[in-house]
Amino acid sequence: MKILIIGANGNIGKTITPALQQKHEVITAGRNSGDVSVDISSIASLEKLFARIGTADAVVCAAGDSVTSDLLSMTGEKYFTGVQQKLLAQINLVITGLKHINDNGSFTLISGKMGEDPAKGSSGKAVANGAVNSFVLAAALEMPRGIRINVISPSKITDIATEDLVKGYLKSIATSANGEIIRIGYN
Ligand SMILES: NC(=O)c1ccc[n+]([C@@H]2O[C@H](COP(=O)([O-])OP(=O)(O)OC[C@H]3O[C@@H](n4cnc5c(N)ncnc54)[C@H](OP(=O)(O)O)[C@@H]3O)[C@@H](O)[C@H]2O)c1
């Protein structure tokens, strides 16, 4: 399979990329790292990315910023960081990527435990993560050409076994799973 991993150089990306490289052709991407550079918050940059790499069988996103701050210090602007950089960026990745992903391919987005099981100070993350989960549940109902979409929702990476994270990604990429919130490190 030809797999595009956006954010391959980050904490999550670095953990899963070597395992996926063992059996697949992997193209890594990031803002300032990887085989190809992309800013997923820009549709023009996403178009340029796919023009450069051509088609893919699996698109994995392990990128997307959001703000951590206590509620009383949060502002609309801080929430908007997560909406723009994590939610809309991944939605635009899917909408743009649909024109370039092969039949029966898959999208694997990223959310996080704070979307369903928040801690104090996590409302900026919770809003973005919960909305990414909702997008995946709804978008899965309308994926064309046998394409699937799932979201990985990990707890803190330092609390997770690498093998559990890799297993979650393989479930999304290499099984028939569709419209699943794949929780790693919590129930
Ligand atoms: N780490 C955790 O414990 C954890 C737990 C649950 C959920 N998550 C979620 O997982 C995602 C990744 O977390 P992380 O800890 O791995 O982050 P990280 O270490 O900061 O890495 C982020 C990666 O994504 C790339 N990136 C960031 N913004 C981008 C953009 N606009 N366009 C293209 N690439 C971009 C970065 O590329 P450059 O380095 O080239 O800029 C980097 O490779 C985040 O959404 C985070 O909320 C993380």
Side-chain angles (χ1 to χ4, degrees), residues 15 20 23 64 68 115 119 121 140 156-157 160 177 179:
T15 307
L20 295 176
K23 289 195 181 162
T68 302
K156 222 177 179 180
I157 191 155
I160 302 174

Side-chain angles (χ1 to χ4, degrees), residues 6-13 29-33 38-41 62-66 85-86 110-113 125 129 154-158:
I6 297 165
N9 197 41
N11 295 310
I12 301 267
R31 272 176 307 206
N32 307 295
S33 56
V38 65
D39 177 357
I40 57 166
S41 66
D65 292 341
S66 53
Q85 296 291 329
K86 188 158 185 176
I110 185 86
S111 62
K113 181 185 174 187
K125 282 191 171 355
N129 290 342
S155 69
K156 222 177 179 180
I157 191 155
T158 44

Side-chain angles (χ1 to χ4, degrees), residues 74-187:
M74 283 299 288
T75 58
E77 209 174 309
K78 288 180 183 172
Y79 286 108
F80 189 64
T81 297
V83 169
Q84 187 178 42
Q85 296 291 329
K86 188 158 185 176
L87 174 63
L88 287 177
Q90 293 195 92
I91 290 174
N92 283 327
L93 171 65
V94 172
I95 288 169
T96 307
L98 273 172
K99 294 182 264 174
H100 305 277
I101 194 164
N102 292 326
D103 290 358
N104 305 311
S106 67
F107 291 98
T108 306
L109 305 190
I110 185 86
S111 62
K113 181 185 174 187
M114 295 301 134
E116 298 182 296
D117 187 7
K120 284 183 180 172
S122 72
S123 69
K125 282 191 171 355
V127 164
N129 290 342
V132 172
N133 289 345
S134 296
F135 170 72
V136 166
L137 296 178
L141 305 175
E142 297 183 52
M143 286 285 120
R145 299 186 284 113
I147 296 162
R148 300 173 299 102
I149 182 167
N150 299 292
V151 56
I152 304 293
S153 178
S155 69
K156 222 177 179 180
I157 191 155
T158 44
D159 297 342
I160 302 174
T162 296
E163 117 189 28
D164 291 343
L165 194 60
V166 169
K167 218 196 259 177
Y169 276 90
L170 287 174
K171 178 176 183 185
S172 178
I173 294 167
T175 74
S176 59
N178 186 34
E180 288 201 27
I181 300 168
I182 299 172
R183 299 173 180 89
I184 318 279
Y186 71 104
N187 294 315

